[in-house]
């Protein structure tokens, strides 16, 4: 017969149990398991509408400073006999930088003179406009970074971008040639 949980087939005893038996681990049955998830966080007390409004106001104040900074730069470049300045930049993989800044008098490369001009800026910890004295090259670099952030924010991320600015002191204009890199793929199935 089929005693002891064994199956009987045509009078033969089979040595395999009908249902698998699991080993007994009495210590598990007595162990209390604490939840691993933290309790939900309380609702945020930050007024994001106010934060975004303050950031928009700060951005508007910075934008309002740029025409004066640009005009002082063009005045300084013209006084130094510099007709235009070229700025090359390159970035990818979450890192980007100005590669070169070149000053020109017509077709002739020249050095920036060792002069400084006023540059208006806002800092994060002070709402008042701070007037700094910066070299012509430093003002060009700062404005180039500002214009890149304004026109192509994130230009240094992922596949990145490269290009060139031309600060034309004679025409009092800034021209940007921007080349964005991207990864492309095409699927063909046959």
């Amino acid at each position: 017969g089929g005693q002891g949980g064994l199956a009987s087939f045509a009078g033969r005893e089979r040595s395999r149990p009908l249902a698998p038996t699991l080993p007994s681990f009495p210590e598990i049955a007595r162990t209390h398991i604490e939840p691993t998830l933290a309790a939900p966080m309380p609702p945020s007390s930050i007024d994001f509408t106010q934060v975004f409004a303050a950031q928009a106001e700060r951005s508007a104040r910075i934008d309002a400073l740029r025409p004066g900074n640009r005009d002082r730069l063009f005045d300084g470049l013209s006084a130094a006999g510099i007709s235009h300045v070229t700025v090359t930049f390159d970035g990818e993989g979450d890192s980007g930088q100005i590669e070169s800044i070149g000053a020109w008098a017509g077709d002739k490369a020249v050095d920036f003179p060792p002069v400084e001009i006023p540059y208006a800026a806002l800092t994060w910890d002070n709402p008042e406009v701070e007037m700094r004295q910066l070299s012509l090259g430093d003002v060009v670099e700062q404005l180039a970074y500002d214009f890149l952030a304004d026109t192509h924010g994130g230009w240094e991320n992922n596949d990145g971008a490269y290009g060139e600015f031309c600060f034309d002191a004679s025409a009092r204009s800034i021209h940007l040639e921007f080349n964005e890199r991207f990864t492309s793929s095409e699927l063909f199935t046959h």
Side-chain angles (χ1 to χ4, degrees):
Q3 295 190 7
L6 299 177
S8 172
F9 296 96
R12 282 186 33 198
E13 295 271 338
R14 186 162 179 174
S15 62
R16 193 172 92 209
L18 291 175
T21 57
L22 298 175
S24 175
F25 295 106
E27 66 276 5
I28 292 178
R30 290 185 216 123
T31 304
H32 178 71
I33 299 174
E34 293 292 327
T36 57
L37 296 176
M41 292 181 16
S44 175
S45 61
I46 297 171
D47 181 356
F48 285 103
T49 303
Q50 182 182 11
V51 170
F52 293 139
Q55 180 59 37
E57 177 190 346
R58 185 176 192 287
S59 294
R61 292 184 67 211
I62 290 172
D63 291 346
L65 297 176
R66 279 209 196 106
N69 286 333
R70 186 184 58 230
D71 290 344
R72 286 187 290 276
L73 173 64
F74 287 142
D75 292 344
L77 293 174
S78 295
I82 296 173
S83 60
H84 64 282
V85 176
T86 57
V87 179
T88 61
F89 62 91
D90 193 3
E92 65 180 304
D94 302 336
S95 178
Q97 63 281 328
I98 300 293
E99 296 285 324
S100 67
I101 299 176
W104 302 85
D107 292 338
K108 182 181 178 200
V110 296
D111 291 329
F112 284 107
V115 298
E116 293 183 338
I117 61 171
Y119 180 83
L122 288 180
T123 59
W124 284 105
D125 58 346
N126 187 349
E128 300 301 317
V129 174
E130 179 182 304
M131 292 303 289
R132 303 173 182 170
Q133 290 297 118
L134 298 178
S135 70
L136 292 172
D138 287 344
V139 173
V140 167
E141 181 175 1
Q142 185 61 55
L143 288 175
Y145 277 124
D146 290 346
F147 292 137
L148 276 173
D150 286 350
T151 58
H152 299 282
W155 62 273
E156 72 283 6
N157 293 330
N158 301 320
D159 291 344
Y162 65 96
E164 182 175 274
F165 282 97
C166 180
F167 288 73
D168 187 336
S170 305
R172 297 182 78 84
S173 67
I174 301 170
H175 177 76
L176 169 62
E177 290 183 2
F178 185 86
N179 302 279
E180 184 174 7
R181 295 185 193 98
F182 59 91
T183 301
S184 177
S185 67
E186 292 184 44
L187 172 65
F188 296 94
T189 58
H190 302 276

